[in-house]
C-alpha cells in the first residue's frame, strides 16, 4: 500500500484498499494493458476483473456477475464506476461485425450499431451522476457514501457489444431524509440544488436565499455549509437528465418534489385553540404561507395537505372518522410523508434510467444470443450510534456476501492445498 499497490488477489477475488487519492490507475493505457490478458500477465487490477467477465461472456456465452462488497468508505461505488468505464471503453474499442450484404449496407449497419453501442455506454456512465445525487450522502466515513443498494444487468449482443441494460435498487436509506447523525449530511441533491439553481428558479420553488439553517431537514447532522463542488455537481445532474432524456416537465417535477421535501421539514405545529383538551394540533399560523407554497409544489389542494398533516382517517366496517393528531403524531406523520415522497421520487429517477437503457438498446432477433454481466454494488457495512432498519438489513446482507466469498473462494483454495499436499492452518 505504501508503494501505491492497492490491489491483490485471493483466488478469484480481487482485494482492494481505498488510497483516498487519485493514483492514475484508470487511464486508457491501463485499459489497453489489461484488454484480453490473462491474470498472470499483469499486476493485480480491477480491469482484470472486468475483462475476465467480458471474455467469459464473449467467448463462452456465459452470463457473469461481479459482486462488490466491503465496509463503508472502502471504494465500492468507485469500483463499480471503473468497471462501467472499462466495459464502455471496450465497446468503443471494437466495432461490431456487420451482417452480410453490399459494402455500403455493411458500412451503414456498422455505423448504426456503433451509435447504439455508444448511446448505451453514455447512459450507463451519465446515469451515475444522477443516481449519486439522489442516493448518496456525506457520512463521517465517506464524502460520497452510497445510501442504497444497486444491481445492474448490462446486456450484450452476440458480438460482445453493450446492447441495453436494466437496474434495480434496494433499501434506500429513507430515514436520512429527516435525520442525520452528527457530522453527516442529507442526500447530495438538496445541497446541489441550493448551490446550483439560479436565483429566479429558487424563488419560483419557494426556496429562501438564506443559509442551510433555513431548512430543518438539512442541518440535523450539524453541517451548515454548502460543499465546494455542489454547484458543479448540480450542472452534471442536469446534463445527466438531458442524457437520460428527461422531458422538461419531468425535470421540473423532480425539482418541485425535491424542494417540497426540503420545505416540508419546516412545517411546525401548535395546539389547536378550539380543542379544550389540548390533545390536537394545527399548523402554526406562521407556516400558513409555506403551506400554500408546498401545496403548489406538490400540485395538491392546501386544505387537503393541512388535513393530511394534522389528522388521520380511521375506517371501520360500517363507518369512517377523522381523528386529529397530537404533537408527536403530527411530527411523525410529517416525517413519514417526507420519506415516502422522496422514496417515490428516487424510484421514478431509477425507472427513467431503465427506460432510457431500454430505448437505446439494440437486440438481435435471436434472443438466446443475449448475455448479461451483472454488477452488484450495495452500501457498506457500518455501525452508527443510531442504526436505521435499512442499515441493519445491509449489514446482514454484507455478512451473507462475506460468507459466500468464504464458501466459494477460500474453500476452493483449501481443497487445492489438500490435493497438492501443502500443509496449512
Amino acid at each position: 500500500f505504501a508503494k501505491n499497490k492497492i490491489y491483490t488477489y485471493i483466488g478469484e477475488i480481487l482485494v482492494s484498499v481505498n488510497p483516498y487519492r487519485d493514483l492514475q490507475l484508470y487511464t486508457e493505457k491501463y485499459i489497453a494493458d489489461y484488454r484480453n490478458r490473462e491474470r498472470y500477465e499483469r499486476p493485480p487490477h480491477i480491469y482484470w476483473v472486468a475483462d475476465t467477465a467480458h471474455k467469459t461472456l464473449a467467448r463462452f456465452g456465459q452470463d457473469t456477475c461481479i459482486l462488490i462488497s466491503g465496509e463503508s468508505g472502502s471504494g465500492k461505488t468507485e469500483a463499480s464506476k471503473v468497471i462501467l468505464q472499462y466495459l464502455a471503453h471496450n465497446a468503443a474499442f471494437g466495432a461490431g461485425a456487420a451482417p452480410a450484404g453490399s459494402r455500403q449496407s455493411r458500412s451503414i449497419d456498422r455505423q448504426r450499431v456503433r451509435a447504439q453501442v455508444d448511446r448505451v455506454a453514455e447512459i450507463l456512465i451519465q446515469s451515475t451522476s444522477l443516481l449519486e445525487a439522489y442516493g448518496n450522502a456525506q457520512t463521517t466515513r465517506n464524502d460520497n457514501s452510497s445510501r442504497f443498494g444497486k444491481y445492474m444487468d448490462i446486456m450484450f449482443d452476440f458480438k460482445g457489444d453493450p446492447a441495453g441494460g436494466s437496474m434495480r435498487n434496494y433499501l434506500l436509506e429513507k430515514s436520512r431524509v429527516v435525520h442525520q447523525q452528527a457530522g453527516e449530511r442529507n442526500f447530495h441533491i438538496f445541497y446541489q440544488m441550493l448551490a446550483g439553481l439560479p436565483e429566479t428558479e429558487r424563488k419560483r420553488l419557494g426556496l429562501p436565499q438564506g443559509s442551510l439553517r433555513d431548512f430543518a431537514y438539512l442541518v440535523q447532522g450539524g453541517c451548515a455549509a454548502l460543499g465546494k463542488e455542489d454547484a458543479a455537481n448540480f450542472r452534471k445532474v442536469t446534463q445527466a437528465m438531458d442524457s437520460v432524456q428527461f422531458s422538461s416537465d419531468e425535470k421540473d417535477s423532480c425539482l418541485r418534489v425535491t424542494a417540497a421535501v426540503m420545505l416540508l421539514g419546516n412545517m411546525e405545529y401548535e395546539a389547536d385553540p378550539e380543542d379544550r383538551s389540548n390533545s390536537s394540533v394545527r399548523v402554526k399560523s406562521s407556516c400558513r404561507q409555506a403551506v400554500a407554497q408546498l401545496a403548489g409544489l406538490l400540485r395538491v389542494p392546501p386544505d387537503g395537505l393541512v388535513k393530511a398533516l394534522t389528522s388521520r382517517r380511521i375506517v371501520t366496517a360500517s363507518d369512517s372518522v377523522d381523528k386529529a393528531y397530537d404533537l408527536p403524531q403530527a411530527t411523525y406523520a410529517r416525517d413519514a410523508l417526507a420519506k415516502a415522497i422522496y422514496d417515490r421520487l428516487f424510484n421514478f429517477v431509477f425507472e427513467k434510467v431503465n427506460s432510457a437503457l431500454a430505448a437505446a438498446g439494440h437486440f438481435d432477433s435471436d434472443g438466446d444470443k443475449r448475455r448479461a454481466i451483472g454488477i452488484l454494488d450495495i452500501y457498506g457495512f457500518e455501525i452508527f450510534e443510531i442504526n436505521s432498519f435499512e442499515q441493519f438489513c445491509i449489514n446482514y446482507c454484507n455478512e451473507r456476501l462475506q460468507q459466500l466469498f468464504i464458501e466459494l473462494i477460500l474453500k476452493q483454495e483449501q481443497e487445492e492445498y489438500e490435493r497438492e499436499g501443502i500443509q496449512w492452518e
Side-chain angles (χ1 to χ4, degrees), residues 173-180 186-187 190 215-218 220 260-269 294 305 308-310 325-344 390:
E173 190 186 34
K174 300 187 291 290
S175 57
R176 183 168 293 270
V177 173
V178 301
H179 175 76
Q180 305 94 50
N186 210 319
F187 291 104
F190 298 118
F215 303 95
Y217 280 162
L218 303 191
Q220 300 287 313
V261 172
M262 282 192 267
L263 294 175
L264 193 54
N266 295 341
M267 288 294 107
E268 295 181 332
Y269 301 95
L294 186 56
L305 179 59
L309 290 171
T310 57
Y325 287 136
D326 58 23
L327 184 57
Q329 290 172 334
T331 303
Y332 181 87
R334 178 200 64 194
D335 292 348
L337 178 61
K339 290 187 287 186
I341 290 174
Y342 193 83
D343 184 50
R344 294 188 185 195
E390 294 93 347

Side-chain angles (χ1 to χ4, degrees), residues 309-330:
L309 290 171
T310 57
S311 66
R312 69 183 185 276
R313 174 159 292 184
I314 300 173
V315 180
T316 65
S318 59
D319 199 5
S320 64
V321 61
D322 292 333
K323 179 174 173 53
Y325 287 136
D326 58 23
L327 184 57
Q329 290 172 334

Side-chain angles (χ1 to χ4, degrees), residues 395-409:
N395 285 354
Y396 177 74
C397 186
N398 273 292
E399 291 282 4
R400 292 303 300 265
L401 275 179
Q402 200 64 30
Q403 290 297 319
L404 179 66
F405 287 155
I406 291 171
E407 286 287 331
L408 295 181
I409 304 304

Side-chain angles (χ1 to χ4, degrees), residues 213-288:
R213 297 194 184 280
D214 292 328
F215 303 95
Y217 280 162
L218 303 191
V219 292
Q220 300 287 313
C223 293
L226 294 170
K228 295 179 181 178
E229 299 180 357
D230 284 333
N233 287 335
F234 183 69
R235 288 191 291 273
K236 291 181 182 178
V237 169
T238 56
Q239 291 167 5
M241 284 182 170
D242 291 333
S243 180
V244 180
Q245 296 179 332
F246 276 65
S247 68
S248 57
D249 285 344
E250 288 168 337
K251 283 191 282 188
D252 183 61
S253 292
C254 288
L255 296 179
R256 281 192 295 102
V257 172
T258 307
V261 172
M262 282 192 267
L263 294 175
L264 193 54
N266 295 341
M267 288 294 107
E268 295 181 332
Y269 301 95
E270 61 186 4
D272 188 347
E274 297 180 4
D275 182 5
R276 294 182 179 180
S277 66
N278 288 328
S279 62
S280 61
V281 297
R282 69 179 186 181
V283 174
K284 274 189 176 180
S285 54
S286 58
C287 295
R288 296 294 167 83

Side-chain angles (χ1 to χ4, degrees), residues 140-201:
T140 54
R141 303 275 301 273
N142 186 354
D143 286 347
N144 188 34
S145 177
S146 299
R147 308 317 299 162
F148 69 102
K150 177 175 63 179
Y151 180 77
M152 293 177 282
D153 258 337
I154 306 170
M155 305 299 298
F156 292 80
D157 61 20
F158 73 98
K159 300 181 293 295
D161 288 330
S166 64
M167 298 186 187
R168 277 175 280 174
N169 67 301
Y170 303 95
L171 295 170
L172 176 70
E173 190 186 34
K174 300 187 291 290
S175 57
R176 183 168 293 270
V177 173
V178 301
H179 175 76
Q180 305 94 50
Q181 314 236 16
E184 299 193 346
R185 299 206 313 176
N186 210 319
F187 291 104
H188 291 327
I189 187 63
F190 298 118
Y191 308 92
Q192 292 172 358
M193 275 181 59
L194 293 175
L197 278 176
E199 185 177 349
T200 53
E201 275 292 280

